[in-house]
Amino acid sequence: MAKVEMTVNGKTVSGEVEGRTLLSDFIRGGLQLTGTHVGCDTSQCGACVVHVNGQAVKSCTMFAAEAEGAEVTTIEGIGGNDGSLSTVQQAFQDYHGLQCGFCTPGMVMSATALLKDNPKPTEAEIREYLEGNICRCTGYHNIVKAIMAASGQDVGAIAAE
Ligand code: FES
Ligand code: FES
């Protein structure tokens, strides 16, 4: 076991981890931040996406020890301090970008990272960026719409379902 310390959602946190402890397990089990979901543990579904030093990362692909000293943001830290939703979260709500919600934390974290790098993505760019995020329910259409809306673009331009 080794001590690891990082900043998560603006707070310094620390804990004892094994070398093999995944960042996703540290976030969920160690910090009880269970908004980060684990759907596959094999780097396929994207439910576990968090931001590490501003980059979207599948937290099941990284050891907790590798995040030593990093700035980590989880879905719990993406909204305002007053509990308000982020622009992307609000757009998912407004455009029904979720059904069961299992993929949603990862989708929101990925979409937020996309819009930081590419504030006005095309529909094709959004779909390509989300290739690493699997949704079993929505058919993706409303997710794409929500991200277009969050970027201030006309959702009417999106191809019909
Ligand atoms: S749990 Fe990390 S990609 Fe599925
Ligand atoms: S809303 Fe159910 S998996 Fe995406």
Side-chain angles (χ1 to χ4, degrees), residues 37-41 43-48 58 60:
H37 291 166
V38 172
C40 68
D41 243 351
S43 185
Q44 295 176 65
C45 74
C48 65
K58 289 177 174 173
C60 76

Side-chain angles (χ1 to χ4, degrees), residues 66-82:
E66 292 180 289
E68 169 69 28
E71 296 267 348
V72 177
T73 305
T74 69
I75 190 68
E76 288 88 349
I78 207 79
N81 289 335
D82 59 355

Side-chain angles (χ1 to χ4, degrees), residues 98-103 135-138:
L98 63 143
Q99 288 183 25
C100 79
F102 191 83
C103 70
C135 176
R136 297 278 188 183
C137 307
T138 65

Side-chain angles (χ1 to χ4, degrees), residues 33-151:
L33 293 171
T34 54
T36 297
H37 291 166
V38 172
C40 68
D41 243 351
T42 51
S43 185
Q44 295 176 65
C45 74
C48 65
V49 171
V50 300
H51 296 175
V52 177
N53 296 327
Q55 301 291 316
V57 169
K58 289 177 174 173
S59 59
C60 76
T61 64
M62 189 169 174
F63 294 119
E66 292 180 289
E68 169 69 28
E71 296 267 348
V72 177
T73 305
T74 69
I75 190 68
E76 288 88 349
I78 207 79
N81 289 335
D82 59 355
S84 58
L85 299 179
S86 73
T87 304
V88 171
Q89 287 175 312
Q90 188 63 56
F92 269 66
Q93 180 171 311
D94 294 344
Y95 288 87
H96 309 292
L98 63 143
Q99 288 183 25
C100 79
F102 191 83
C103 70
T104 311
M107 288 287 183
V108 167
M109 298 309 285
S110 290
T112 302
L114 167 64
L115 297 187
K116 186 160 78 69
D117 291 342
N118 183 358
K120 300 275 183 215
T122 63
E123 178 183 349
E125 286 170 335
I126 293 171
R127 289 185 185 278
E128 187 180 350
Y129 193 86
L130 293 182
E131 273 184 353
N133 292 77
I134 293 173
C135 176
R136 297 278 188 183
C137 307
T138 65
Y140 302 95
H141 195 69
N142 285 357
I143 292 174
V144 176
K145 263 192 184 172
I147 297 169
M148 285 293 263
S151 67

